[in-house]
Structure formats: structure tokens, C-alpha cells
Amino acid sequence: MNLNLIDKYQDTLHKAITALHKRTFFAYYPENPSSEIYGENADQEGREKYKTFLNNRFEELLQQEPVKWVGQEESPYEQQPLGVKYPYFEIETLINRAEEAFHQWRKVSASDRAALLVESLEHVRSRFFEIAYATMHTTGQAYMMSFQASGPHAADRALEAVAAGYEELGRFPEATEWEKPMGKYNLKLNKSWKAVPKGVALVIGCATFPTWNTVPGMFASLVTGNPVIIKPHPKAVLPIAIVIAEVQKVLAAHGLNPSICQLAVDADDHLITKELAEHTKVKLIDYTGSTEFGNYIESLKGKTVFTEKTGVNSIILDSMPDLDKVLQNLAFSLTLYSGQMCTAPQNFFVPETGVQVGGETVPYEQVVQKLADAVTGLVNNPKAGPHILGAIQNPATTERVKGAASVKGKEILSSCDFSNPIFANARTCTPVIYEVDATEKESYSRELFGPIALIIKTKDTNQSIEIAKEMALNYGAISCGAYTTDADVKEKIMDEMGLAATPVSFNLTGGLYVNQNASFSDFHVTGGNPAGNASFTNPEFVIKRFTWVGFREPVGS
């Protein structure tokens, strides 16, 4: 099936593929929510559109005849239900519709699939602002992060997956004439190859980044010819539902079955993720979430699985020109979105002898206190604190912060009541910091999701590196930050953490943070340690979604 759409988006795809190879800065969708870019009334219109969803059925999806309408979302800012209801379908209905759509979608050319998906992202672009408000009131992210992460940054990650898939699908020729000299005669064969999609794909979303973590797998499966069922976290449906609705509209507008891309929501009284994941017709699964459930997903037989789970992220402090700049940077990383990012730092390794600053030693105790003071200063800044902290998505995170007191260590900074000036009822929690000795591994060898930092006193930087590597190898790590002015120490950190398949950010200060990953440049998760088995977007992230199959016959047959 050829729709001849590629010409319209060839330039976009070419730029994206070029960016994948060069790994330099490339952002197709502007991250600044400026009225000059998106329109004078874009923010107001997006906010008003978001409000129309509240206490109503979400009827934009092209999924007919639901069994019932369900919804469980509540705003972390208002701690009130959103009242949005989504169509609920039986598992077999979703699977059967996906199977039917599969046999149409797989016959659409790779170039047309890529073009259709880019076109759908252009439609999503027009809805960035309502997606931002939907993200705020499902995840607790502050406004700017909600706009950027769920809007342009997510769209860039989706485009990245489309570009990677499109390139891999064109890696080999569709057909060739093969000729082997045999002396007096030649053997000749006509050979052709097809990239055959694996089948129904399932994408399991998380509660904190409902589009950013969902669209890479979603668009990677779609561009490679697989129909997709998106199963979001029941507390964060609306942002990705808007994206799915736009994809369905583009498919339908071009005469294609909208069931190529479906939303699947949990019933109010039971969860459906396991039923979907274990279904024999589901061949591909993308998952973001806890390690325990991720390990279960990875254990399923007959599935190709891509996971991002939890990790224990480290900061190694050795030496630096300006300690205050370093700690201000780390305080921001720890405080951003109240530590609810998979890349947020948790374990801060500081030698008991202190750190070297401009050739002089700053004692360990002073380093610890300065970090606590930097966090306190940021939280208490009325112009910064509310916009950095956001709100707590899950009440369990608040309980986890309170429970951190059970850590075998000394409390350095306790959590305090924090009042959001706009949302008086917001669920908030400021960071806590505990000092832990390096011998207390049980305390720091697990992810403590949320605004929780552990300062681990080590004998020296060598022990800091050794433990950080051990944590990554045994429990996974998605990020690592290191500060050193010593070239030999830097080389050792690169070598040891490289063996633990953990990316390292060195000497970040100012507006560069360990939490951040850039589309088209940074590989998010490496797939090489227990924090996840996949990395987006590297070639493996797309090529495992289809199989090359060859066909041949003698010339002239």
C-alpha cells in the first residue's frame, strides 16, 4: 500500500537522521512556550481546552462501543479527582482490533508510515499547551517542565524513534539480481527482502512522565509496522490520550484503521496490565516503572521486551574549582520535580578527608552542611521553589520521605511543610538529606524514589568510585555525576562506570544538570545494567521490532 506521502516530510526525516549520526544539538520542536512561536493565545486556549476535559468523557478517540467509561486521575495540586472518563474495552476486543489493523498497517510502505507519524506529531504540536496542563494535574510537574517534557521534548523523542526506524528499514535493498560466476555459465537469482513486523505491541506507561517515556516505544513500534496498544498508568492517562487521539485522526484521514493505535485503560475495580502483557498475541512490550514489575515483564516468554526500571544514581565528589557552584547545581538536580525523575541523584559520595577546592581542602562536614544550605536556600526562594519542586504525584512518595528516617544514619536536613502560592492544597514535600557511613550498604543500595538524598562518607575517592560502580552493577543506574579536576581520576571514573554501563556527567555547573537528557544526542538508559534492558534511541531499540525475511527465485522464472 503506497500513499506517496514521503515528499512532504522527507526534509524533516533527513534532518532527524542526520542529527542521529552527528549527535549534536537538534530540536525540531521549540521548547520555549513563547507566544511568538506558538501563537499569542496558545497558553490560554490550551488551559481552557484542558478544563473542558474535566468531569467529562474523553470522546476524541476513534474507538467505538466501549463496555463502560472509567477514570481514576486526581490532581496532585488540588488533590481532587479530574473526573475524566475514558472508554474501557475488554482485552480480547483490543487484541482483535489490533490484529485486524496489523494486516493493513504492515502493508503500508515504510516511507508512508514514517510520514504519517511525522504528520501526527505536527498535529500533536498544536496541542502542546493542553497536554502541559494535563501533565501538571496528573503528574505534579511544574508548568514549565510539564510543557517541555510532555510537549516538545516528547515529540522530539518520538521523531527520533521514527527517524531511527525509518533509517533501519532502508538499510538493505528491497531487491537485487544475484549472479555467481561458475566458469562457462553463471547462476542467477532474483532476490528480495521484506522487513516483517513482529505483531501486536504493548506500551506500559508510568505515572510521572506519561508521554516522554511512552512515545519512544510507541512510535518505534508504529514506524516498524506494528499496531500498538498503549496502557498508561491509571493516574496519568490524559496527556497520552490526547497524543493517541491525534495519531488516530491522522490514520483515519488517510483511510487507515485507527485501531493501529489504541488506548487501553484499567477498569476502576481491576488492573489489566498483566492480562495484556501475558496475552499470546502480544509480541512486543515497552515498559517504564518499578524494577519488581519490570523483572516480571522481562521474564515473560515469547515476547520482545524493552524496559526502563529503577536505578541508584550516584554523585562522586573529588575536586573542583568552585564548591558553591557545584552544590548549587546539585541542589537544583535534587530538588527538581521533588526528586521524582529516574535520572535524579540519590547517593552523594564524599571522602571523609573532604574535597579539594582550588588546591585547598574543604572538610567533609563543611561540604555536607553547604549542600544542605544550598537545598534550603532553593526551597525557600519564593521565585524558584514552587516552580522547581512542583507537587508529589503519589502519596506513597510522601510516606517514603517520612520513612527515610529509618535509614541508619544522621539526619542532616528534614522535610518541611511547603506551601504552593497558587495551589494551597498541593501535595508537597521538600528534600531530606541523611548522612550514611559507607559500611551501611543496606541503607543506600536501593532506589528511594522522591526527594531523598544520602551523603555517604567514604575513605577516599577510590572507594567512592568502587561503591558507585557496585551499586550500578547490582541495582542499576541511569545517571551519574562526577566532579574532579584530576585527569587520572576522571579517566578512572569513566573506565569503571563505563564497565557498569552508566553514563557520567562531569563537572556540571550553571544551567547544565545531571537529570537532563537531550534527544538525538544522549542515549537514555544504556540497557547494560539492571536499570533497564533497552536504550532510546539506539539501533537495537528499533531493529528488534521486525525481522528481515528473504525471497529468491531463478532469473526468468
Side-chain angles (χ1 to χ4, degrees):
M1 186 175 183
N2 200 324
L3 303 175
N4 297 312
L5 297 172
I6 191 61
D7 288 348
K8 187 175 180 181
Y9 298 107
Q10 185 68 66
D11 183 59
T12 301
L13 288 164
H14 174 73
K15 288 177 179 176
I17 291 170
T18 300
L20 280 173
H21 286 275
K22 290 187 174 181
R23 316 306 298 180
T24 53
F25 173 77
F26 177 74
Y28 191 75
Y29 299 96
E31 69 176 6
N32 186 350
S34 166
S35 59
E36 294 179 2
I37 297 171
Y38 289 101
E40 184 177 351
N41 300 316
D43 178 79
Q44 180 182 346
E45 291 170 357
R47 183 167 60 249
E48 293 304 317
K49 178 65 175 176
Y50 160 73
K51 289 179 180 178
T52 67
F53 294 129
L54 303 180
N55 301 308
N56 276 310
R57 290 179 172 182
F58 187 83
E59 295 185 313
E60 291 191 35
L61 298 168
L62 303 181
Q63 296 178 226
Q64 306 304 316
E65 301 177 2
V67 174
K68 53 188 172 182
W69 293 81
V70 299
Q72 304 176 35
E73 296 160 302
E74 71 167 37
S75 169
Y77 284 100
E78 298 170 337
Q79 297 199 58
Q80 294 293 326
L82 299 189
V84 186
K85 300 296 182 182
Y86 304 94
Y88 172 81
F89 299 89
E90 299 291 350
I91 301 295
E92 288 304 319
T93 300
L94 294 164
I95 295 294
N96 290 339
R97 289 179 177 179
E99 274 278 293
E100 180 182 354
F102 173 49
H103 296 296
Q104 181 187 54
W105 186 235
R106 67 187 177 87
K107 293 181 179 179
V108 175
S109 69
S111 59
D112 279 339
R113 290 198 299 258
L116 285 163
L117 294 173
V118 176
E119 185 166 300
S120 71
L121 290 173
E122 288 299 303
H123 285 233
V124 171
R125 174 190 171 120
S126 70
R127 307 192 69 177
F128 280 171
F129 287 89
E130 62 200 87
I131 291 173
Y133 286 103
T135 300
M136 274 188 70
H137 289 284
T138 52
T139 69
Q141 292 176 29
Y143 171 75
M144 185 61 78
M145 178 182 281
S146 294
F147 177 84
Q148 293 180 339
S150 279
H153 292 177
D156 276 334
R157 279 296 187 191
L159 177 60
E160 180 182 41
V162 172
Y166 180 55
E167 181 180 36
E168 290 300 333
L169 290 167
R171 179 171 294 279
F172 304 114
E174 292 184 6
T176 191
E177 184 177 294
W178 180 87
E179 186 171 351
K180 179 181 179 180
M182 298 295 291
K184 293 183 178 180
Y185 64 97
N186 292 347
L187 293 177
K188 294 183 180 181
L189 290 172
N190 284 323
K191 295 188 177 185
S192 62
W193 297 268
K194 288 185 178 180
V196 180
K198 291 194 173 177
V200 178
L202 171 66
V203 181
I204 304 167
C206 66
T208 47
F209 286 88
T211 66
W212 195 92
N213 274 108
T214 300
V215 295
M218 171 183 168
F219 279 76
S221 281
L222 285 170
V223 75
T224 49
N226 305 283
V228 180
I229 298 170
I230 295 93
K231 164 55 192 62
H233 190 282
K235 298 294 186 181
V237 180
L238 185 54
I240 195 65
I242 296 171
V243 175
I244 294 167
E246 291 303 325
V247 173
Q248 290 182 345
K249 291 171 191 174
V250 169
L251 291 168
H254 291 280
L256 295 169
N257 189 338
S259 294
I260 290 165
C261 180
Q262 297 179 85
L263 174 70
V265 292
D266 293 299
D268 290 334
D269 57 353
H270 74 279
L271 304 177
I272 64 170
T273 308
K274 280 194 170 184
E275 292 176 64
L276 276 169
E278 293 175 4
H279 199 288
T280 55
K281 289 186 177 178
V282 169
K283 302 302 181 182
L284 298 162
I285 304 177
D286 286 87
Y287 168 81
T288 306
S290 71
T291 291
E292 182 180 9
F293 199 83
N295 290 342
Y296 150 76
I297 292 292
E298 290 176 353
S299 74
L300 296 174
K301 304 296 184 183
K303 319 285 184 183
T304 301
V305 173
F306 308 84
T307 62
E308 178 189 328
K309 301 179 290 185
T310 55
V312 181
N313 301 324
S314 298
I315 299 291
I316 300 168
L317 293 171
D318 174 69
S319 54
M320 64 284 298
D322 189 323
L323 179 61
D324 290 339
K325 286 184 177 180
V326 168
L327 296 181
Q328 287 165 9
N329 180 278
L330 292 176
F332 185 94
S333 292
L334 172 59
T335 307
L336 184 61
Y337 186 30
S338 298
Q340 298 170 101
M341 300 177 70
C342 61
T343 50
Q346 174 182 299
N347 292 345
F348 293 71
F349 294 97
V350 183
E352 62 186 8
T353 54
V355 299
Q356 296 298 306
V357 181
E360 297 184 2
T361 301
V362 175
Y364 167 85
E365 293 77 12
Q366 193 172 335
V367 175
V368 172
Q369 189 57 50
K370 277 179 172 285
L371 177 59
D373 291 344
V375 171
T376 300
L378 195 60
V379 168
N380 291 337
N381 184 337
K383 292 183 178 180
H387 306 293
I388 298 171
L389 282 165
I392 300 295
Q393 195 278 329
N394 191 330
T397 301
T398 307
E399 295 305 312
R400 192 177 302 110
V401 173
K402 294 176 181 178
S406 63
V407 168
K408 293 182 180 179
K410 174 185 175 183
E411 183 180 81
I412 301 298
L413 183 67
S414 60
S415 186
C416 64
D417 291 332
F418 177 80
S419 179
N420 188 296
I422 301 174
F423 300 100
N425 202 35
R427 185 189 300 120
T428 60
C429 190
T430 62
V432 296
I433 301 177
Y434 288 87
E435 178 188 45
V436 179
D437 191 80
T439 58
E440 297 291 344
K441 287 189 178 180
E442 185 178 344
S443 294
Y444 59 81
S445 60
R446 57 196 166 103
E447 184 193 51
L448 299 169
F449 187 74
I452 302 169
L454 304 178
I455 298 179
I456 299 153
K457 183 191 289 187
T458 59
K459 293 178 182 177
D460 52 29
T461 297
N462 284 332
Q463 188 184 33
S464 297
I465 299 169
E466 178 186 340
I467 298 175
K469 177 185 178 183
E470 179 187 345
M471 292 297 104
L473 285 171
N474 293 337
Y475 306 102
I478 295 176
S479 70
C480 175
Y483 292 85
T484 183
T485 57
D486 187 314
D488 291 336
V489 172
K490 179 182 177 182
E491 181 62 33
K492 182 172 183 178
I493 293 172
M494 289 178 68
D495 191 49
E496 295 298 313
M497 296 309 290
L499 290 171
T502 303
V504 182
S505 300
F506 285 97
N507 304 321
L508 298 185
T509 58
L512 296 168
Y513 304 102
V514 69
N515 316 56
Q516 298 168 327
N517 273 315
S519 303
F520 298 97
S521 186
D522 295 315
F523 295 107
H524 181 66
V525 190
T526 63
N529 65 52
N533 73 356
S535 177
F536 55 81
T537 303
N538 64 8
E540 186 183 30
F541 192 70
V542 291
I543 61 176
K544 292 170 70 176
R545 299 172 195 267
F546 64 90
T547 304
W548 284 110
V549 180
F551 306 91
R552 57 189 185 176
E553 64 179 343
V555 174
S557 294

